[in-house]
Amino acid sequence: MANGPFGGNKPAKPQRTPLQALVYWGTVLGIWGLIFVVAFFAVFARDLPDTSTLYDVKRQPSINYLDRSGALLAVRGSQYAPPVDIDALPPYVPAAFVAIEDRQFYHHFGFNPWGIVRSAVWNATHDGPQRGGSTITQQLARNLFLSPAQNYRRKAQELILAVWLEMKFSKKQILALYMNRVYFGAGAYGIEAASQRYFNKPAKDLSVGEAALLAGMMKGPARYSPVSAKDRAARRATIVLDEMVRIKAITPEQRDQAFSTPVQVSATLANQRAQYFTDYIDAQVRSLVGEPTEDLVVETTLDLPIQVAAERAVKQGVEAYEKQGVQQSALVAIDGEGRIRAYVGGADYADSQFDRATTARRQAGSAFKPFVYLTAMEQGRTPDMMVVDEPVKIGNWEPRNYTGKYLGQITMQTALAQSINTVAARLASEVGTSNVANTARRLGITSKIQLDPSMALGAVEVSPMEMAQAYAPFSNGGFLAKGYGIERIRTAKGKVLYDHNVDKQARAAVIGTPALQYMNQMMREVVTSGTGTRANVPGYDIAGKTGTTSDYRDAWFVGYTGGFVTAVWTGKDDNTTMRRVTGGGAPAEIWRNFMTAALPRLKATPIPGGVAPPPEAPDPIGDLINPTPTPTGAAAETPAGTAPPPGQLPY
């Protein structure tokens, strides 16, 4: 077979040796890798943030909230401390962060490819919380320069900045920057501020257990807070300690000693109360004085010992009635001037920060009836006037009594004390639902009030704050008392920026006599012999009203003594039904337990207003000469063909 240049088989192509193949393919991959890196930087490095801000600290001023006697309630805003020298810390402090956040910290160049792959595989194959593959350097880049947005562009820029940081700084400097800038919750930024806030000590004095606890918070400062989530934080700290042993940062004996030495969290921080209240007034601070530019002190109206009693009563009440479906409760207590003295927005702030004291709107049920009766009293009726409890139909609506029974002729006082639905419905129709709505607004209800006849039985959505301030005129002699929580705002240096008493307007009288005396007389009977007997506190002048809505979705008790009123709501956040929980049950019991603790401190006085005068003797001749006009009905306010919701329960 010819092998010449003009015919025959071509000579075989020489095979590359393994070394030549390695060099060849290494070169190819290197070129493509270089092309990829250039393209990567061209796409993602165009709008990188300005790294000259590396050493800038944007400090949000700290705000200290004090109760009415000067006791510290809470601290909000940021707390920074001078950067700590990492060499001044015990070696196990930085080691705790490396052990739990980035074991390969000293061996990678800003990012860990295998960590990224492991996280991607986990996230693709598992539901629930996602795992992150970020190194300490990447976290530092994100905290310093980027937003927390979860997208590929931000992640790519994070990688670029992490590599830049590794080129510019040593590992020790990167770790120091990280520990001095990272957020530890409770407004504390950096290891020194966190150590001071949580343990009242400098970071150089942290114990092994304290260091593990702080490092464990990096996964989620709120979720693993030693203040609001003690058990979860302790479990996380245990994992940190085990990892520290694994990388030989501490010995097993040191870990065991940390287990046997309880960590003592700052008493001031651990005993922080009134978190719902602090949230409520925190936004108001900025509306009153603008965005703070320096540390502030806010003097509030809250009374800390009373607040503690309120939180305890709410928590115990929810636990006691849990089997009956009570999941949440809210309590607001204000004095006769409108000062908020206790404020509880839920059973447990650590579990839910949603504020049910002012943010939630729930139907008031029969707790709305006093506005109906007050309107009637102001139109000339009296507690002793006879009314008839019998079936009634207003348009297409037929309200019913809770018991299904009718008492016949009774006094108006008995009708309110026993929360008779038919009487309240007919009464609202006679005096006019628009007049009832005006009465409620005049006393402090600010939510929208629908004018259908069912509003007489509380088909009106209100907050506990509104109910407390609307009942306040009954307790203080008839004066408007809009609830407020801030007395004074000053700088840490003493400059007063806001004072509630400056240019204070005279309070308007919103209930006159004898209507005020009549209402107090009737609502006293609610507590002494009506639906609210469980709220009675022996030895004190107490009045109030229960409220329960259809299907037991909401239960209320709003009660008062001289110059002090408290509104309590119980229910479920999803508005589903409880199991026969009425206003005379769980809410009245929470109210009584709270007031039993609060009243001695308040030095409560009897309800002002005196004794209601006796009704005038009948004058048939005068009635013939000057007949009293019949109150205009309000049934026509219901749209034709529209049936209002079913009547509310009586309690």
Side-chain angles (χ1 to χ4, degrees), residues 79-84 180 189 192-194 196:
Q79 176 179 332
Y80 288 89
V84 65
N180 282 311
Y189 287 84
E192 183 66 22
Q196 295 285 356

Side-chain angles (χ1 to χ4, degrees), residues 285-302:
V285 170
R286 288 157 179 78
S287 67
L288 290 172
V289 300
E291 196 65 30
T293 57
E294 57 183 311
D295 293 345
L296 300 180
V297 176
V298 178
E299 300 172 15
T300 75
T301 61
L302 211 73

Side-chain angles (χ1 to χ4, degrees), residues 465-487:
M465 172 63 79
E466 288 177 87
M467 293 299 284
Q469 66 186 17
Y471 271 61
F474 296 124
S475 76
N476 67 11
F479 294 95
L480 181 66
K482 185 176 181 181
Y484 71 96
I486 299 176
E487 289 284 11

Side-chain angles (χ1 to χ4, degrees), residues 116-197:
I116 294 173
V117 171
R118 283 197 304 269
S119 298
V121 172
W122 170 273
N123 295 337
T125 57
H126 291 77
D127 294 327
Q130 301 287 284
R131 284 186 177 179
S134 295
T135 63
I136 283 178
T137 314
Q138 287 176 268
Q139 293 179 51
L140 177 62
R142 181 170 64 248
N143 290 336
L144 289 177
F145 306 119
L146 301 172
S147 73
Q150 295 291 332
N151 56 59
Y152 289 111
R153 186 171 195 83
R154 198 273 295 161
K155 198 69 179 176
Q157 291 181 334
E158 181 183 291
L159 288 174
I160 294 172
L161 290 168
V163 173
W164 176 81
L165 285 169
E166 291 277 351
M167 294 174 65
K168 186 174 180 63
F169 300 103
S170 69
K171 288 289 186 180
K172 181 187 292 186
Q173 289 173 319
I174 290 172
L175 187 57
L177 275 169
Y178 172 79
M179 294 179 63
N180 282 311
R181 290 296 188 87
V182 74
Y183 183 57
F184 287 87
Y189 287 84
I191 186 71
E192 183 66 22
S195 182
Q196 295 285 356
R197 181 154 286 186

Side-chain angles (χ1 to χ4, degrees), residues 37-360:
V37 169
V38 171
F40 182 86
F41 274 83
V43 172
F44 295 110
R46 285 183 301 170
D47 57 350
L48 281 174
D50 180 10
T51 56
S52 65
T53 61
L54 173 65
Y55 295 103
D56 295 344
V57 177
K58 297 179 180 178
R59 183 184 186 281
Q60 179 188 356
S62 177
I63 306 177
N64 287 350
Y65 291 91
L66 311 180
D67 88 331
R68 58 186 289 111
S69 63
L72 180 66
L73 288 175
V75 179
R76 293 291 171 89
S78 304
Q79 176 179 332
Y80 288 89
V84 65
D85 182 358
I86 198 170
D87 289 330
L89 299 174
Y92 52 74
V93 175
F97 291 83
V98 171
I100 196 63
E101 289 297 303
D102 187 3
R103 288 197 304 271
Q104 299 300 316
F105 174 68
Y106 292 105
H107 307 292
H108 61 64
F109 196 68
F111 62 95
N112 184 348
W114 299 117
I116 294 173
V117 171
R118 283 197 304 269
S119 298
V121 172
W122 170 273
N123 295 337
T125 57
H126 291 77
D127 294 327
Q130 301 287 284
R131 284 186 177 179
S134 295
T135 63
I136 283 178
T137 314
Q138 287 176 268
Q139 293 179 51
L140 177 62
R142 181 170 64 248
N143 290 336
L144 289 177
F145 306 119
L146 301 172
S147 73
Q150 295 291 332
N151 56 59
Y152 289 111
R153 186 171 195 83
R154 198 273 295 161
K155 198 69 179 176
Q157 291 181 334
E158 181 183 291
L159 288 174
I160 294 172
L161 290 168
V163 173
W164 176 81
L165 285 169
E166 291 277 351
M167 294 174 65
K168 186 174 180 63
F169 300 103
S170 69
K171 288 289 186 180
K172 181 187 292 186
Q173 289 173 319
I174 290 172
L175 187 57
L177 275 169
Y178 172 79
M179 294 179 63
N180 282 311
R181 290 296 188 87
V182 74
Y183 183 57
F184 287 87
Y189 287 84
I191 186 71
E192 183 66 22
S195 182
Q196 295 285 356
R197 181 154 286 186
Y198 285 103
F199 306 119
N200 285 336
K201 62 170 65 172
K204 65 181 181 62
D205 294 335
L206 285 170
S207 67
V208 172
E210 290 165 345
L213 193 148
L214 291 178
M217 294 175 68
M218 295 301 93
K219 190 174 182 180
R223 180 171 174 77
Y224 296 96
S225 167
V227 177
S228 60
K230 295 179 182 178
D231 293 340
R232 192 182 295 128
R235 291 193 296 270
R236 180 69 176 164
T238 298
I239 295 173
V240 176
L241 290 168
D242 289 339
E243 290 296 323
M244 292 174 72
V245 172
R246 181 178 172 183
I247 68 169
K248 296 182 171 54
I250 59 173
T251 64
E253 291 74 23
Q254 286 177 297
R255 175 191 58 191
D256 295 341
Q257 184 179 4
F259 286 151
S260 63
T261 306
V263 173
Q264 299 296 326
V265 177
S266 163
T268 299
L269 193 61
N271 293 323
Q272 272 194 162
R273 301 282 182 173
Q275 295 302 294
Y276 290 107
F277 175 74
T278 307
D279 287 349
Y280 169 63
I281 63 173
D282 190 59
Q284 298 176 23
V285 170
R286 288 157 179 78
S287 67
L288 290 172
V289 300
E291 196 65 30
T293 57
E294 57 183 311
D295 293 345
L296 300 180
V297 176
V298 178
E299 300 172 15
T300 75
T301 61
L302 211 73
D303 191 322
L304 186 55
I306 293 177
Q307 174 68 21
V308 171
E311 293 178 4
R312 183 185 303 117
V314 165
K315 188 175 182 65
Q316 292 176 348
V318 170
E319 291 174 350
Y321 284 85
E322 184 178 5
K323 292 183 179 179
Q324 289 181 247
V326 175
Q327 293 180 351
Q328 280 295 346
S329 180
L331 180 153
V332 175
I334 66 176
D335 63 22
E337 297 284 330
R339 292 180 286 251
I340 300 171
R341 304 290 287 274
Y343 184 108
V344 184
D348 191 331
Y349 185 83
D351 289 340
S352 170
Q353 288 79 55
F354 177 67
D355 184 0
R356 299 153 192 87
T358 52
T359 305

Side-chain angles (χ1 to χ4, degrees), residues 389 401-407 420:
D389 176 21
N401 288 334
Y402 173 62
T403 61
K405 299 178 181 180
Y406 301 95
L407 303 180
I420 303 300

